[in-house]
Amino acid sequence: MTDELTDYQLEWLDHGRDKSKPFFIYMSHKAVHSDAKPAPRHASLYKDLDIQLPASMANTAENNRGKPMWVQNQRNSWHGADFAYHSRRDLKAYFRDYYRTLSAVDDSVGRTLAYLRKNNLEKDTLIVFMSDNGFLMGEHGLIDKRNAYEPSVRVPMVAYAPGLLPKGTVNETRIRNLDIAPTFLDVAGVKAPPQLEGRSILPVATGAVATKDWPEDDFIYEYYWEWGYPQTPTTFAIERGRMKYIQYHGVWDLEELYDLAKDPGEMRNLIDDPAYLTTKIALRAGLFAKLANDKGEHVVPYTQRYSSGLVLRDKDGPPAAQFPEQWLTTPDLPGRMNGIFPDSPEKAAADKAGAAYMWRPKTSQ
């Protein structure tokens, strides 16, 4: 199918377009959407490639420390490393096929570039190669996407425009998918419509503005629970600077907070660390504000259910996770109601002392 889509694209470039006008092509390959099936010409590629699975994939107490229960439970599911796609297939073999299948996409890019060069279009055409999402390859015991961890939300992107973009440069600026459309419009000399939330990244991409001087917007992540894939809950997250806060909707589970500058692998959950209390409070508030729609509403969508979804578990796989140890307590403590009140330094002190915290919301005069 990858080859066929490329054939359609080149046919249109050669015979379907008005060659006196600019053009825009969005080529959306489905190549590695599961199951990844390589073209026969690539079937034996990478047979000796030693694929290194991530250390965080191991089902250990150290790796599971601070991780929500849903993450530990998802290991043994359709989107888990221990029961991937309800099979016993070796993940290394699966990823070899993944890479083989991507080779047809590489061929597609090569054919497209060859056409542009042959027709003298290379020097005034912007080419952007990217995915629609990241992909976990065993990190935290997970595969696929559908969560706010870095391998899922970080999308690879390569931009090529001779004379417009600096050669051979890796740009570390964090941009959002919201910024892609305004950038394309900017390149084309078209004003972006007011409803677009993003902004053109052309100034920082071309080097007109240095990365250190580029004001980064908050990165907001939203994923809404799908009954077909019930392993992952509705997920909301915000990344501001190098701090990331994640919360889950409709489940009884942990929140997460990571300092990505110190912990890029997201292994140390700081959600209950007193040193990060004010950061947690600020990011919670910022996330809620950014999740509002253009009417100021906070609405969680859902779809009609018509079956149980992919709910199977390997009967010999890992069992269900236990509740977090810090949640296990004894009855009738003075501070048993503290958890319902907003976090604050005062409440943290009461929790530490095992005392009841009395909170009253501020009222306007």
Side-chain angles (χ1 to χ4, degrees):
M1 189 61 197
T2 303
D3 296 340
E4 289 190 38
L5 286 174
T6 306
D7 290 343
Y8 291 140
Q9 173 193 241
L10 296 177
E11 172 67 20
W12 182 83
L13 277 170
D14 218 18
H15 304 293
R17 66 187 173 98
D18 181 345
K19 295 185 179 181
S20 67
K21 296 181 179 180
F23 63 88
F24 176 89
I25 291 176
Y26 174 54
M27 168 62 81
S28 182
H29 286 302
K30 296 281 284 185
V32 293
H33 202 278
S34 62
D35 284 337
K37 185 176 181 179
R41 66 184 183 276
H42 300 133
S44 61
L45 284 175
Y46 311 122
K47 62 181 180 181
D48 298 321
L49 177 66
D50 182 21
I51 294 177
Q52 299 295 318
L53 296 174
S56 66
M57 178 174 148
N59 190 6
T60 64
E62 181 181 2
N63 283 346
N64 292 332
R65 187 176 297 114
K67 284 289 178 285
M69 291 183 292
W70 76 261
V71 173
Q72 299 175 57
N73 286 331
Q74 187 167 304
R75 301 186 60 96
N76 184 0
S77 80
W78 181 266
H79 286 147
D82 293 335
F83 198 26
Y85 304 124
H86 292 171
S87 77
R88 293 193 183 277
R89 189 178 185 193
D90 179 72
L91 276 186
K92 291 187 177 183
Y94 173 78
F95 289 126
R96 285 191 187 95
D97 271 350
Y98 192 97
Y99 296 149
R100 290 165 180 153
T101 307
L102 273 176
S103 295
V105 178
D106 292 341
D107 292 346
S108 173
V109 174
R111 292 173 64 192
T112 302
L113 286 170
Y115 178 90
L116 295 176
R117 293 188 183 109
K118 180 180 178 181
N119 291 273
N120 299 313
L121 294 168
E122 181 185 19
K123 293 185 178 179
D124 61 355
T125 302
L126 167 65
I127 300 168
V128 175
F129 179 84
M130 64 183 299
S131 174
D132 64 341
N133 52 266
F135 200 87
L136 291 102
M137 303 181 77
E139 289 88 354
H140 313 301
L142 311 179
I143 62 169
D144 195 71
K145 46 195 176 184
R146 293 179 171 85
N147 58 65
Y149 294 131
E150 290 290 278
S152 174
V153 301
R154 289 180 68 87
V155 179
M157 185 179 85
V158 178
Y160 175 73
L164 177 66
L165 301 177
K167 182 178 181 179
T169 299
V170 176
N171 196 315
E172 296 289 349
T173 307
R174 186 184 73 231
I175 64 171
R176 307 164 302 165
N177 55 353
L178 296 172
D179 302 322
I180 301 299
T183 301
F184 289 162
L185 293 173
D186 192 12
V187 171
V190 178
K191 184 178 180 180
Q195 71 269 24
L196 294 187
E197 293 182 43
R199 56 182 171 147
S200 171
I201 56 114
L202 200 57
V204 71
T206 60
V209 175
T211 299
K212 64 180 180 63
D213 297 325
W214 184 254
E216 288 186 339
D217 294 307
D218 289 339
F219 171 73
I220 304 297
Y221 178 81
E222 300 175 60
Y223 170 75
Y224 293 95
W225 179 83
E226 302 170 82
W227 59 262
Y229 306 102
Q231 304 88 354
T232 311
T234 291
T235 303
F236 302 133
I238 181 172
E239 185 177 329
R240 179 179 293 172
R242 296 300 289 149
M243 295 299 304
K244 180 194 287 185
Y245 164 72
I246 311 171
Q247 65 176 228
Y248 302 101
H249 176 86
V251 292
W252 186 9
D253 218 328
L254 283 171
E255 304 163 89
E256 295 176 87
L257 182 69
Y258 297 103
D259 185 339
L260 298 175
K262 299 177 181 177
D263 179 23
E266 296 164 297
M267 297 301 297
R268 185 185 173 207
N269 186 2
L270 303 169
I271 198 67
D272 292 324
D273 190 324
Y276 290 86
L277 176 61
T278 57
T279 299
K280 173 174 67 175
I281 293 171
L283 290 181
R284 275 180 182 155
L287 176 61
F288 184 74
K290 291 291 181 69
L291 287 174
N293 63 20
D294 58 0
K295 298 178 183 178
E297 301 167 333
H298 291 81
V299 181
V300 176
Y302 61 96
T303 57
Q304 181 180 354
R305 178 193 283 265
Y306 53 83
S307 74
S308 63
L310 295 169
V311 298
L312 300 181
R313 292 173 66 81
D314 182 352
K315 63 184 180 64
D316 298 318
Q322 297 295 317
F323 275 92
E325 183 178 353
Q326 64 267 34
W327 288 9
L328 305 180
T329 187
T330 55
D332 300 320
L333 291 178
R336 62 187 183 275
M337 288 287 291
N338 289 3
I340 204 169
F341 301 125
D343 282 335
S344 67
E346 294 78 14
K347 191 179 99 168
D351 286 337
K352 188 174 182 179
Y357 171 67
M358 304 302 293
W359 174 81
R360 290 180 177 82
K362 295 179 180 179
T363 56
S364 57
Q365 298 298 323

